[in-house]
Amino acid sequence: MKKGTIIILAIVGVLLLGIFYFFSVKNEALRKSQAVNKEWGNVQTAYQRRNDLIGNLVNTVKGAADFEKSTLTAVVEARAKATSVTVDPTNLTAAQLSSFNTAQSGLTSSLGRLLVSVEKYPDLKANANFLKLQDELSSTENQILTARTRFNEAVQLYNGYVLAAPQSLFLGGYTEKPYFESVAGADKPVEVKF
């Protein structure tokens, strides 16, 4: 073989390896992006389950006691606000995630006030439907925590991949995704008053 032919074959071989590497990088970034989207869907599913349970909880409380209207109204309004905030996982921004998180924390706060005020109603506390809903709600909060944790793990893998060199040279269209963070004041203990 001539020296020129060997050089051309080597160049073609390097180009083919480069092309294969490029597609491998793009495909891996796509897989990691889809994993983030899937985990975001799991977060939304957990929050939707909580929203559905809250409707049942409010109706149970309404039917079981002459309850404070302001507390129930606050829960219903917070639930409506929380379900109105939507986030597009393909264009996930820190602002969208913060807005979603703020709406959900408002619902959590209203729900907490509802559950604290239930303590005044012994018949309601003993109601089997209420107790079952309260257990379901507690279980759902654990599911939300798990879904948020898995979402953050998927974001970590995605960000680590698309921001690292040399992949970042080929992945200009892939941007860093934000993590789910706690709401302001979540680090302070909750004060419960009866």
Side-chain angles (χ1 to χ4, degrees):
M1 255 193 210
K2 293 183 183 178
K3 187 175 184 179
T5 307
I6 292 174
I7 291 174
I8 291 173
L9 287 175
I11 291 172
V12 168
V14 168
L15 285 174
L16 284 174
L17 285 174
I19 290 170
F20 287 135
Y21 178 74
F22 172 78
F23 285 119
S24 170
V25 166
K26 287 289 226 185
N27 288 337
E28 187 62 24
L30 178 65
R31 278 190 287 279
K32 291 186 184 305
S33 178
Q34 291 300 310
V36 169
N37 294 348
K38 175 187 150 271
E39 293 302 336
W40 179 250
N42 291 342
V43 168
Q44 288 181 312
T45 299
Y47 277 114
Q48 182 61 52
R49 175 176 159 75
R50 178 173 76 168
N51 290 335
D52 294 345
L53 285 171
I54 288 171
N56 292 336
L57 186 69
V58 166
N59 288 335
T60 301
V61 170
K62 274 184 191 174
D66 183 22
F67 213 71
E68 291 95 358
K69 280 212 178 282
S70 62
T71 304
L72 289 174
T73 302
V75 171
V76 170
E77 288 173 359
R79 179 178 174 234
K81 184 177 179 185
T83 57
S84 71
V85 176
T86 57
V87 175
D88 177 13
T90 58
N91 289 328
L92 193 60
T93 65
Q96 287 177 328
L97 205 51
S98 176
S99 174
F100 180 84
N101 209 13
T102 300
Q104 292 298 332
S105 70
L107 179 57
T108 300
S109 175
S110 295
L111 186 58
R113 286 191 301 275
L114 172 68
L115 294 176
V116 166
S117 61
V118 161
E119 292 296 320
K120 299 177 190 173
Y121 297 90
D123 292 341
L124 180 57
K125 287 189 331 187
N127 180 304
N129 288 338
F130 179 78
L131 292 174
K132 183 174 186 247
L133 285 169
Q134 200 172 16
D135 287 344
E136 287 288 325
L137 200 54
S138 177
S139 169
T140 300
E141 291 298 327
N142 287 332
Q143 289 175 5
I144 289 170
L145 173 65
T146 300
R148 287 174 57 161
T149 301
R150 288 183 181 157
F151 171 78
N152 280 347
E153 289 169 353
V155 167
Q156 179 187 17
L157 289 173
Y158 169 85
N159 287 345
Y161 186 78
V162 300
L163 298 175
Q167 298 91 272
S168 60
L169 299 173
F170 302 111
L171 299 173
Y174 290 85
T175 58
E176 183 176 11
K177 294 189 187 271
Y179 290 96
F180 222 121
E181 297 177 358
S182 63
V183 293
D187 56 335
K188 295 179 178 70
V190 178
E191 184 179 331
V192 179
K193 295 179 184 176
F194 293 104

